């Protein structure tokens, strides 16, 4: 069955640097991957979706890539700010067409 | 426009007690979902409802029941709470026909003693 793996270790970076988070899937190449942001005590909020046939997607300071050879998606935040500190979840569809999530990577941006 | 709302925000139960978590949406979306989130395990699907009057099991349905009486509301019931059900519960919805982007409620933090 499909699984989503994200680095459980927190990523700690300096304000202004680019944050790069990794999402790996274990099985077949999914039709798309999604990224969500979750703040403490709140529900996840959808950020970006990238389809299998798209190599890269951008939204303001966010960029997502999809590499089917590496079975991986990278999520970048350029010019990071302390307000970007949150947990970022990767998700995709499983074989029964339900969304499955990784456990998330916590990002901490130091001022 | 509140989106997805959940009540209560916090709840403490004793083992064996029952309770119902409420979820309501004002987005007119067909599909609704209940997840639980535990540290290091991510979001796991408990039950979902593709449309009013239908429900299906997700990955971790044991110990839970759900009810989708109308399009707006989807409730999750714990008949006899166990400490293993201590978790944060999220309700979500999805607009049918659109790629499976989901909209989440604020969550209910449940502790079972």
């Amino acid at each position: 069955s499909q699984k989503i793996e994200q680095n459980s270790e927190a990523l700690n970076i300096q304000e202004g640097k680019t944050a790069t988070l990794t999402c790996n899937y274990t099985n077949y190449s999914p039709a798309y991957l999604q990224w969500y942001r979750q703040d403490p005590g709140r529900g996840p909020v959808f950020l970006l979706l990238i389809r299998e046939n798209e190599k890269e997607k951008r939204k303001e300071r966010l960029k997502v890539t999809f590499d089917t050879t590496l079975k991986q998606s990278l999520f970048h935040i350029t010019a990071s700010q302390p307000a970007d500190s949150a947990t970022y979840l990767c998700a995709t569809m499983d074989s029964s067409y339900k969304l499955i999530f990784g456990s998330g990577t916590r990002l901490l941006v130091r001022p | 426009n509140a989106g997805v709302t959940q009540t209560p925000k916090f709840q403490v139960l004793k083992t064996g007690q029952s309770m119902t978590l409420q979820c309501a949406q004002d987005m007119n979306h067909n599909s609704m979902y209940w997840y639980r989130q535990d540290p290091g395990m991510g979001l796991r699907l408990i039950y979902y409802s593709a449309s009013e009057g239908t429900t299906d099991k997700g990955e971790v349905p044991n110990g839970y029941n759900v009810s989708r009486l109308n399009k707006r509301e989807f409730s999750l019931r714990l008949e006899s709470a166990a400490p293993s059900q201590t978790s944060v519960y999220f309700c979500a919805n999805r607009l049918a026909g659109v790629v499976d982007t989901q909209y989440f409620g604020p969550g209910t933090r449940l502790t079972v003693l």
Side-chain angles (χ1 to χ4, degrees), chain A residues 3 12 23 27 41 50 57 60-61 71 74 76-77 83 85-88 99-100 109:
Chain A
K3 288 186 180 173
N12 197 323
C23 170
N27 205 340
I50 185 165
K57 199 83 167 277
E60 298 173 351
R61 293 184 297 109
K71 294 191 174 182
L74 297 179
H76 307 272
I77 305 176
S85 298
T87 296
Y88 292 86
L99 209 57
I100 55 171
V109 181

Side-chain angles (χ1 to χ4, degrees), chain B residues 63-102:
Chain B
Y64 306 95
N65 284 303
V66 289
S67 178
R68 179 88 183 271
L69 294 177
N70 55 57
K71 197 170 186 179
R72 281 194 70 246
E73 296 167 303
F74 188 36
S75 60
L76 178 72
R77 182 157 179 86
L78 287 70
E79 291 290 351
S80 179
S84 60
Q85 294 178 304
T86 293
S87 187
V88 182
Y89 292 85
F90 289 101
C91 178
N93 68 11
R94 175 179 75 91
L95 181 61
V98 178
V99 169
D100 200 16
T101 302
Q102 297 189 3

Side-chain angles (χ1 to χ4, degrees), chain A residues 32 34 36 38 41-46 49 51 89 93 96-104, chain B residues 33 35 37 40-43 45 48 57-59 90 99-107 109:
Chain A
Y32 57 80
Q34 301 182 21
Y36 290 76
Q38 185 174 21
R42 294 179 177 259
V45 175
F46 172 74
L49 177 149
R51 297 182 188 276
L89 307 174
M93 194 170 55
S96 55
Y97 304 102
K98 293 189 286 293
L99 209 57
I100 55 171
F101 289 81
S103 56
Chain B
Y33 305 79
Y35 293 89
Q37 187 174 39
M41 300 197 69
L43 287 156
L45 183 64
Y48 66 101
K57 295 178 181 179
E59 181 187 352
F90 289 101
V99 169
D100 200 16
T101 302
Q102 297 189 3
Y103 301 87
F104 286 81
R109 184 174 292 275

Side-chain angles (χ1 to χ4, degrees), chain A residues 54-70:
Chain A
E54 296 173 320
K55 292 236 184 308
E56 181 180 297
K57 199 83 167 277
R58 289 176 186 261
K59 179 182 175 184
E60 298 173 351
R61 293 184 297 109
L62 308 181
K63 184 178 86 171
V64 174
T65 61
F66 194 164
D67 188 326
T68 55
T69 302
L70 295 178

